[in-house]
């Protein structure tokens, strides 16, 4: 019995709380409508014409605010604002006791894409009526349309909005594509990336060319870009090379070894990758680029400064996928990987040779000439360059050893 009473009491309490919630909701709605009532009543008693006009930049406009006699005011007491700024009195004209006009010349492009606010006020500042002015220009032909596919799985395209750029009013861009010889025209739907880009995530054919173009439209007109024709296999890019490793080569103070992996997303495709390497010293933002890394996944950087930290990045161009003749598109650069060259061995610093022999002078001259030749020819990652560079290193070490032995003999 007690349990039943308690349950009944709880039920009554919940019912009361629900009733209070409904009453509060009704009260909020009533207050909202009460707050809007003056504007709702005024909206029927005053109107601006034309309403929400669309105009070309440089146009003139005469707008008329017509008020009802029920307001018990005259048009002479009204004033106008544009985007909250009061317009000069000499732009007004009283057409009748219930009509006031304002004339604007050489209109500039709208300050906001949602339109500029032209408002008619009574003398106490109360808003009587409003109109949105859309001042702009028709879109120009979109240009610089380029597209790329990441690992043949999707398609992304980017374009520019024309030579004049901004049209000042809302302009809609639609990327369209279709198979060249058959198939239905489709609209790209994902515009969530950067401005003037669109992304097609799936359902793309290979070995068949597509036609792609962009259509632009606003309230003043429309325009379309040139149609570009592409095969997905010709515009492939991929992810940056993985597992970039930079390491020393023994005690060689002027060299570093760079190794990396091939693009894993393209492991099942027949293609020939091309790689680029760039590197810089720690204290500089200027990169030095090696263009001839070829299709190998390793490279030796030569001619570096001893005892210096270097940052290295690698990128990939997947050319010739399934026999494509196009150049391909470079991937983004990999994240920077750092390593330092060994410091210079200073054990011989302090030894003096105040009277160099003619042999030493000739040796230094030959070394200088050969080093200059090597600096010109050993740039890059080709096997020939590396072998030549290694031969020069061995020759230099032997020459230095011979020179040290001569010095040691002369001292003893």
């Amino acid at each position: 019995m007690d349990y039943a009473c308690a349950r009944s009491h709880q039920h009554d309490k919940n019912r009361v709380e629900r009733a209070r919630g409904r009453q509060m909701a009704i009260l909020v709605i009533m207050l909202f409508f009460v707050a809007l009532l003056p504007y709702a009543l005024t909206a029927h008693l005053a109107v601006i014409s034309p309403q929400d006009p669309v105009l070309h930049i440089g146009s003139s406009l005469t707008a008329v605010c017509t008020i009802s006699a029920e307001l018990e005011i005259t048009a002479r007491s009204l004033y106008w604002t544009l985007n909250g700024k009061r317009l000069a009195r000499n732009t007004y004209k009283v057409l009748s006791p219930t009509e006031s006009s304002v004339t604007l010349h050489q209109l500039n492009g709208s300050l906001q894409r949602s339109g500029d606010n032209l408002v008619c006020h009574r003398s106490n500042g109360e808003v009587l009526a409003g109109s949105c002015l859309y001042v702009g220009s028709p879109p120009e032909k979109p240009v610089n349309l380029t597209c790329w596919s990441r690992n043949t799985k999707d398609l992304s395209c980017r374009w520019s909005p024309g030579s004049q750029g901004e049209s000042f009013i809302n302009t809609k861009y639609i990327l369209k594509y279709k198979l060249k010889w058959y198939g239905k025209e489709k609209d790209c739907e994902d515009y969530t990336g950067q401005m003037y880009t669109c992304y097609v995530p799936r359902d793309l054919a290979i070995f068949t060319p597509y036609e792609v173009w962009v259509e632009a439209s606003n309230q003043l007109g429309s325009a379309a870009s040139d149609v570009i024709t592409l095969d997905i296999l010709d515009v492939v890019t991929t992810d940056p090379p993985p597992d970039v490793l930079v390491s020393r080569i023994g005690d060689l103070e002027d060299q570093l070894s760079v190794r990396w992996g091939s693009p894993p997303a393209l492991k099942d495709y027949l293609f020939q990758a091309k790689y680029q390497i760039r590197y810089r010293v720690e204290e500089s933002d200027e990169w030095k680029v090696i263009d001839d890394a070829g299709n190998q996944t390793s490279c030796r950087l030569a001619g570096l400064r001893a005892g210096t930290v270097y940052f290295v990045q690698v990128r990939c161009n997947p050319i010739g996928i399934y026999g494509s003749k196009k150049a391909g598109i470079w991937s983004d650069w990999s994240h920077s990987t750092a390593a330092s060259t060994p410091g210079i061995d200073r054990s011989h610093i302090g030894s003096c040779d105040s009277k160099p022999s003619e042999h030493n002078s000739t040796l230094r001259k030959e070394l200088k000439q050969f080093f200059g030749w090597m600096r010109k020819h050993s740039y890059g990652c080709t096997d020939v360059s590396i072998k030549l560079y290694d031969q020069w290193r061995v020759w230099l070490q032997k020459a230095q050893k011979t020179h040290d032995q001569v010095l040691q003999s002369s001292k003893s």
Side-chain angles (χ1 to χ4, degrees), residues 118-132:
L118 181 65
V119 178
C120 172
H121 302 260
R122 66 193 307 169
S123 58
N124 63 0
E126 180 185 339
V127 174
L128 294 175
S131 178
C132 288

Side-chain angles (χ1 to χ4, degrees), residues 17-50:
E17 289 179 353
R18 288 196 298 269
R20 286 178 179 173
R22 287 195 296 268
Q23 290 174 353
M24 287 297 296
I26 293 172
L27 180 60
V28 169
I29 293 173
M30 290 178 63
L31 290 174
F32 177 75
F33 279 109
V34 169
L36 291 180
L37 185 59
Y39 299 99
L41 292 175
T42 303
H44 293 288
L45 299 176
V47 64
I48 291 179
S49 59

Side-chain angles (χ1 to χ4, degrees), residues 2 20 45 49-50 73 136 163 165 208 248-249 281 290 321 390:
D2 292 338
R20 286 178 179 173
L45 299 176
S49 59
I73 57 175
S163 60
T208 304
R248 295 180 178 182
I249 304 175
V281 295
I290 295 178
I321 294 181
D390 286 343

Side-chain angles (χ1 to χ4, degrees), residues 362-375 392 395-396:
T362 303
L363 176 62
R364 284 197 298 272
K365 183 178 180 181
E366 291 176 350
L367 287 175
K368 184 177 180 180
Q369 291 174 345
F370 191 73
F371 181 71
W373 184 89
M374 285 305 303
R375 287 184 63 186
W392 171 74
W395 182 77
L396 178 63

Side-chain angles (χ1 to χ4, degrees), residues 177-196:
Y177 62 101
K178 65 180 289 293
L179 292 171
K180 183 175 182 179
W181 294 300
Y182 59 91
K184 185 179 179 181
E185 178 182 302
K186 297 181 180 180
D187 292 351
C188 179
E189 297 180 354
D190 187 350
Y191 298 86
T192 57
Q194 297 179 348
M195 186 175 290
Y196 309 125

Side-chain angles (χ1 to χ4, degrees), residues 143-192:
V143 294
N144 302 327
L145 175 60
T146 57
C147 301
W148 62 96
S149 173
R150 186 171 294 276
N151 303 316
T152 75
K153 305 300 183 183
D154 56 19
L155 186 68
S156 298
C157 295
R158 178 191 302 118
W159 62 91
S160 301
S163 60
Q164 295 298 322
E166 183 60 66
S167 61
F168 296 99
I169 57 178
N170 281 325
T171 298
K172 184 178 182 180
Y173 293 90
I174 301 178
L175 179 78
K176 294 180 174 287
Y177 62 101
K178 65 180 289 293
L179 292 171
K180 183 175 182 179
W181 294 300
Y182 59 91
K184 185 179 179 181
E185 178 182 302
K186 297 181 180 180
D187 292 351
C188 179
E189 297 180 354
D190 187 350
Y191 298 86
T192 57

Side-chain angles (χ1 to χ4, degrees), residues 22-98:
R22 287 195 296 268
Q23 290 174 353
M24 287 297 296
I26 293 172
L27 180 60
V28 169
I29 293 173
M30 290 178 63
L31 290 174
F32 177 75
F33 279 109
V34 169
L36 291 180
L37 185 59
Y39 299 99
L41 292 175
T42 303
H44 293 288
L45 299 176
V47 64
I48 291 179
S49 59
Q51 188 64 211
D52 302 339
V54 181
L55 306 163
H56 288 266
I57 294 174
S59 298
S60 296
L61 170 72
T62 297
V64 178
C65 180
T66 304
I67 57 176
S68 170
E70 296 179 34
L71 290 175
E72 298 181 350
I73 57 175
T74 62
R76 191 173 298 277
S77 65
L78 306 182
Y79 71 90
W80 295 80
T81 61
L82 181 63
N83 291 331
K85 184 178 179 180
R86 191 160 181 163
L87 296 172
R89 177 65 65 173
N90 60 11
T91 61
Y92 308 169
K93 186 176 181 180
V94 177
L95 304 179
S96 72
T98 58

